[in-house]
Amino acid sequence: MKKASKFEKTAARCWNILNEGRPFTPVFVVGVFLLFSIKSLGESNFWPAFLLSLGSVLPLLAIYFCYDFPLHLRKFLWFPFAAALLLFNAPSLSLLLFSLGLYFFFTVIFWGTIYYHLRIGTTLWNFTRFWKLVLKNSDSTSGNAQEQIPKFLTVLALLQGNFQQVQVGEGVLWMTTLLFSLAVWVYSKGIHHLLFNWKPEEIPTYTQDETPKKALADRVIMVVIDGCRKDRLAEANTPFIDWLRENGTEYSEMETVYPARTVVCFSSMYTGTYPREHRITSNMVYRLGIRCESIFDSLRKIGKLGRLLGVAHLVDSLGGDVDTYTAVAKNDVVDSMIMKRAKEIMTEKNPDLFIVQLISTDQTGHSRGALYPEYREKIEEADAHVADFYHWLKAEGYMENTAFIVAADHGQSDGIGGHGHLDEGERFVPFILHGPMIRQGVKVTEKHSLVSVAPTMAYLLGAPYPNKSRGPVLREAIRNEVDQHEEKVHRCDPSA
């Protein structure tokens, strides 16, 4: 499988400007207004009027950049829009319709149909389903219609109102615009303080567990089925994951982090801490690299090697510890190509810690929806890939004293397989451990967090915890000396 090229890494970063909701709003507003005014761009008084008007709405754009309006908070965005219509005169109906048409063209036709067809091979008829997904989507991306539409309509109302004032020689309504923006800021802050109360509770202290005198595992291998919903996994026919569950330890209440974006979740899993500390807060990474140690740094301190095989934008967070693969591949074959590359890396580099990210399930959720049969089928295909990888590792001698983990970084909600705001289906993820040092047939029902991944890996491999690690070691899964003495029957492997 090809590595992600420099062009692909750069293109992924550029795409995130349009994909992530926060940068999308100002880019879309400016783009819409300029396209709508295309016949006037050459007039001498256009640009001074436009720049003055744009300057007046920058505070409002900054507020909407800082504040997501997740889930049920989205309905509160219509009140500022109604106030804008009263204060700044109703923007022209043609501008509103143009902006709505361009928005749905971008999300449904360009993104949901053309983009996915070229990148992963989705049918050119995908728009027939994608428009419904956009309307339901609760994700923190540009495809969240219920959040993006009132945001950009409000800003456009102010922008056009002030532009028209300048055009007729009356000047920008600076005081009205600033007071309106201040009111929106107070309003947004109040709503978030009173109603935004579903973020996971953070662990206040750093990892307290005493490290073992020697490593419990020679190797840790983790397969992350990106975007795998726990309830959809339970519905799927997954014989190998079922076997892992029965012969290992399952955490049934494993919670992801907020916001549940892929780069954020991976950063938290492999540093053991939260976005406010590792400073990766979305898939759009403005300053490259985490701001604390990772499990890969911990392993280097004791002369061990860790590698992560993943998509290009994980480099933005975890840098040179990532072996990238191209995400420009047909979705029906991409996971098999990833597993082929994973076997090559095991053979070439023989890492002590190896993490593999499968992406077909996530991509299917985003392109076709997480509540449709195609999504469940991709979970079943992922199960077969994990089984094949496990048996290959065992045949090649890599599983002698190895902890094997299968998990997801986040789930997916209804709509465009959304994840980020912790809607239903996003928050709790599958998490199963297996190996000679792992207890058999145990189901842990107490709530745990993915920030425990890095410290648990460090504990198993005899490495120090990353310097900002907060998660407790998943000790419920680890066999103690009594378990080892009392276990009389050796586990049987599943048939290939």
Side-chain angles (χ1 to χ4, degrees), residues 197-210:
N197 55 10
W198 61 86
K199 286 185 181 180
E201 184 178 351
E202 293 188 0
I203 299 166
T205 58
Y206 293 117
T207 303
Q208 304 292 311
D209 299 83
E210 184 178 347

Side-chain angles (χ1 to χ4, degrees), residues 217 220-224 269-270 295-296 299 353-355 405 431 433 452-465 473-474:
V220 174
I221 296 174
M222 181 175 186
V223 180
V224 180
M269 281 195 288
Y270 303 121
I295 184 62
F296 306 105
L299 291 174
L353 168 66
F354 190 33
I355 302 153
I405 305 171
F431 197 92
L433 302 95
S452 285
V453 171
T456 300
M457 288 175 165
Y459 188 90
L460 290 169
L461 291 168
Y465 302 124
V473 174
L474 300 175

Side-chain angles (χ1 to χ4, degrees), residues 226-443:
D226 198 312
C228 180
R229 277 182 66 133
K230 187 164 72 78
D231 58 346
R232 298 290 276 153
L233 172 64
E235 297 169 4
N237 178 25
T238 53
F240 183 74
I241 291 177
D242 292 344
W243 179 85
L244 287 177
R245 184 184 290 115
E246 293 166 5
N247 291 277
T249 297
E250 176 187 16
Y251 283 79
S252 62
E253 296 294 309
M254 182 61 73
E255 191 173 36
T256 189
V257 296
Y258 186 91
R261 308 293 288 152
T262 294
V263 183
V264 180
C265 296
F266 271 74
S267 300
S268 287
M269 281 195 288
Y270 303 121
T271 62
T273 191
Y274 302 97
R276 64 175 177 80
E277 210 155 35
H278 59 62
R279 306 298 294 275
I280 304 297
T281 58
S282 76
N283 284 349
M284 182 68 197
V285 179
Y286 298 95
R287 182 182 170 191
L288 301 181
I290 52 175
R291 303 297 182 272
C292 58
E293 291 179 353
S294 69
I295 184 62
F296 306 105
D297 297 313
S298 296
L299 291 174
R300 274 189 282 272
K301 291 178 181 179
I302 59 170
K304 291 186 177 182
L305 175 66
R307 301 302 299 168
L308 191 163
L309 176 62
V311 292
H313 57 248
L314 291 179
V315 173
D316 294 351
S317 166
L318 297 166
D321 294 309
V322 180
D323 287 298
T324 63
Y325 52 73
T326 180
V328 183
K330 300 296 184 184
N331 202 39
D332 290 339
V333 299
V334 67
D335 278 357
S336 61
M337 295 166 66
I338 291 168
M339 281 309 192
K340 180 180 178 181
R341 179 61 185 144
K343 294 172 184 178
E344 293 171 353
I345 291 174
M346 281 300 304
T347 303
E348 295 165 4
K349 301 182 179 181
N350 192 24
D352 303 284
L353 168 66
F354 190 33
I355 302 153
V356 181
Q357 177 197 22
L358 297 179
I359 63 170
S360 186
T361 299
D362 182 72
Q363 292 186 156
T364 299
H366 285 309
S367 60
R368 301 291 288 161
L371 301 183
Y372 288 86
E374 299 101 311
Y375 180 80
R376 188 190 67 245
E377 290 166 7
K378 286 301 174 186
I379 294 175
E380 294 172 354
E381 289 178 15
D383 177 74
H385 288 305
V386 175
D388 175 74
F389 188 47
Y390 178 93
H391 291 304
W392 179 86
L393 290 166
K394 190 170 182 63
E396 296 296 318
Y398 292 115
M399 295 298 293
E400 186 65 29
N401 188 36
T402 294
F404 191 75
I405 305 171
V406 175
D409 53 340
H410 55 75
Q412 295 195 349
S413 65
D414 198 2
I416 312 172
H419 55 90
H421 286 331
L422 301 188
D423 199 352
E424 183 181 357
E426 297 177 44
R427 187 166 197 152
F428 293 99
V429 300
F431 197 92
I432 304 165
L433 302 95
H434 177 270
M437 72 299 299
I438 302 300
R439 297 174 66 198
Q440 293 186 54
V442 174
K443 184 173 184 177

Side-chain angles (χ1 to χ4, degrees), residues 120-152:
I120 65 173
T122 305
T123 172
L124 284 172
W125 293 99
N126 202 42
F127 64 88
T128 59
R129 179 184 296 178
F130 207 78
W131 70 271
K132 293 180 283 188
L133 304 181
V134 168
L135 291 177
K136 293 188 290 183
N137 185 39
S138 63
D139 197 357
S140 53
T141 65
S142 56
N144 186 341
Q146 294 181 57
E147 180 173 0
Q148 285 299 326
I149 289 175
K151 277 186 173 181
F152 69 67

